[in-house]
Amino acid sequence: DDFYHKSKDNLANVLWDKGWKEASKKIDALSADPVAGTRGIVFDAYLGLGAIDQFYVQGSQIFNIVGMANKTVGVQAAAVAPYFRATVMNGHKAPSEAMAKLSSGALGVTPEQFLAMIESFKRSGKGFVQGSVADLGEDSAGKVAFRKVREVGRIPYTEGETMARITAHVAASMEYIQKFGPKADLLSQHGQRWVTHQSDVFTNGMTSTSRHWVEQFPMMQFMSYSMRMAEWYLSGIAGGKGVLSGKQKAKLFTFQFGLYGASALPFAGYYLDWYNRKYGTELSESDFYQLRHGLVDNFIRYTTGVESELGRRLAWGEGLFNTIQDLQSNSPLQIALGPSYSLGKTVLESTSK
């Protein structure tokens, strides 16, 4: 990305020197980094445009926040998040003050502190999702009208992501008040930085600013979550300071294992299925399903009768295992291009029929 943008700026400077004073503006309007632009198109194809399910997939980060936050802080933050979102969208003073009086009690904070949470959330820029998602590349070139269509199509994704960020922000704000006392100023520079950092921890640093340079390669698109979860769990094991404390790791794993079953641990689901196929177990089919899939899929099965794979989709362990499996079975070209290859192949096959 940096190489492309530097090259683009150099070209604009050359054209400026030759008398074309509007060069920089025209180049910015009509071009985008081809690699990053492709990432944007792939993002829309798989996650963005009209994918209603992405609302709850992105919103499922709230489960992790509950698992990482102190005691009941995550549950309280999740309960208030929809009202917080409505207040942010409204933006007017009187409704905000009324909502602060209604919601602050559920968090154990004052109405003034609730209003400070809203203001600090706005200042943090966390409400701007479109250009700050780790797996989303720069929008490819196009007219404003088309970009608006893409923004509308991404609403389920962005709203799910926004709800997760709000929950993380509220939880981090509550922890700041608990840590530094009831008179702690959320709008101070220290408060703003502390809460922003802690909310990033709660959401696994899934923003473009937290993205490692390796993740800019096409093959790494949609790998951000698996990489962050591995880092959150493994950091500090060999010494040094980890992202999470040992207590937080244990709580998060216990929470994920309960929700997703064996899918919460890389390779566990595969070996459980393999053992059951080869040797069988004394468990009934229903008991085995409960152990294998966890509360999310079992709840859906109990209430609807449908055996879903939602828990396996949300759990990081199953996703990491599938990625490693793909590395063994796919061609070098498929591995290098990642999701871009799959989309290109699908489009080519459709147009050649």
Side-chain angles (χ1 to χ4, degrees):
D1 288 357
D2 290 341
F3 175 78
Y4 174 82
H5 287 297
K6 286 180 181 178
S7 300
K8 190 171 67 172
D9 290 342
N10 289 337
L11 174 61
N13 290 335
V14 171
L15 295 175
W16 172 280
D17 292 339
K18 291 185 178 297
W20 190 13
K21 305 303 182 185
E22 299 293 318
S24 180
K25 185 187 298 184
K26 295 293 183 183
I27 289 174
D28 284 339
L30 298 176
S31 67
D33 181 340
V35 175
T38 300
R39 288 170 63 92
I41 294 171
V42 172
F43 179 91
D44 284 335
Y46 288 111
L47 300 183
L49 297 184
I52 304 299
D53 60 333
Q54 286 304 311
F55 176 77
Y56 58 78
V57 170
Q58 291 308 117
S60 68
Q61 295 177 74
I62 293 173
F63 291 144
N64 288 352
I65 296 167
V66 173
M68 284 184 272
N70 290 339
K71 300 179 180 179
T72 62
V73 164
V75 176
Q76 292 172 278
V80 168
Y83 306 103
F84 192 101
R85 174 58 172 152
T87 307
V88 171
M89 289 180 69
N90 182 279
H92 295 291
K93 182 178 180 181
S96 296
E97 291 177 345
M99 189 61 74
K101 291 178 181 179
L102 290 172
S103 302
S104 57
L107 301 180
V109 300
T110 65
E112 291 74 22
Q113 289 171 329
F114 188 85
L115 290 172
M117 289 183 190
I118 294 174
E119 181 60 28
S120 64
F121 180 77
K122 293 177 180 178
R123 292 183 186 181
S124 71
K126 291 297 182 89
F128 178 65
V129 176
Q130 289 281 359
S132 61
V133 176
D135 286 321
L136 173 60
E138 175 186 337
D139 278 347
S140 56
K143 295 185 178 296
V144 172
F146 180 64
R147 291 202 295 272
K148 291 295 182 182
V149 170
R150 297 177 76 180
E151 289 177 6
V152 171
R154 291 172 179 169
I155 286 176
Y157 183 99
T158 55
E159 282 304 307
E161 178 71 20
T162 300
M163 289 300 294
R165 292 186 183 190
I166 285 175
T167 303
H169 179 81
V170 173
S173 298
M174 291 175 65
E175 289 195 356
Y176 182 76
I177 293 171
Q178 291 175 358
K179 184 178 179 67
F180 296 102
K183 293 186 178 181
D185 185 2
L186 290 168
L187 298 178
S188 66
Q189 186 179 58
H190 178 264
Q192 194 79 44
R193 288 181 176 179
W194 195 97
V195 170
T196 298
H197 170 74
Q198 188 66 5
S199 64
D200 277 344
V201 171
F202 286 154
T203 53
N204 299 101
M206 291 292 292
T207 60
S208 56
T209 54
S210 303
R211 185 176 63 191
H212 192 275
W213 65 270
V214 173
E215 296 174 60
Q216 298 182 30
F217 290 106
M219 71 180 75
M220 299 304 295
Q221 191 167 10
F222 307 139
M223 281 294 295
S224 297
Y225 179 66
S226 296
M227 290 180 64
R228 293 296 193 283
M229 286 303 299
E231 181 183 352
W232 263 227
Y233 275 125
L234 300 177
S235 62
I237 289 180
K241 185 178 179 181
V243 178
L244 302 177
S245 66
K247 183 178 179 181
Q248 284 178 307
K249 291 177 184 179
K251 183 185 175 187
L252 177 60
F253 175 75
T254 302
F255 206 79
Q256 287 201 326
F257 186 76
L259 288 171
Y260 308 132
S263 299
L265 186 64
F267 304 103
Y270 169 80
Y271 284 114
L272 196 61
D273 291 339
W274 171 83
Y275 185 89
N276 187 45
R277 285 195 306 269
K278 189 167 184 178
Y279 301 106
T281 67
E282 295 181 0
L283 296 173
S284 66
E285 181 183 349
S286 177
D287 290 340
F288 181 82
Y289 188 90
Q290 291 177 16
L291 177 63
R292 175 67 176 85
H293 293 274
L295 291 175
V296 172
D297 284 331
N298 276 281
F299 175 78
I300 295 173
R301 187 191 194 198
Y302 179 77
T303 54
T304 67
V306 176
E307 294 189 359
S308 74
E309 297 290 329
L310 179 60
R312 298 177 70 173
R313 181 180 181 185
L314 301 180
W316 82 283
E318 198 83 10
L320 183 62
F321 171 75
N322 291 337
T323 300
I324 295 173
Q325 196 173 42
D326 289 342
L327 292 175
Q328 296 175 328
S329 59
N330 291 343
S331 67
L333 183 61
Q334 285 177 284
I335 294 171
L337 296 181
S340 302
Y341 177 91
S342 300
L343 178 61
K345 183 180 178 182
T346 301
V347 172
L348 184 62
E349 288 176 349
S350 299
T351 55
S352 61
K353 288 182 179 179

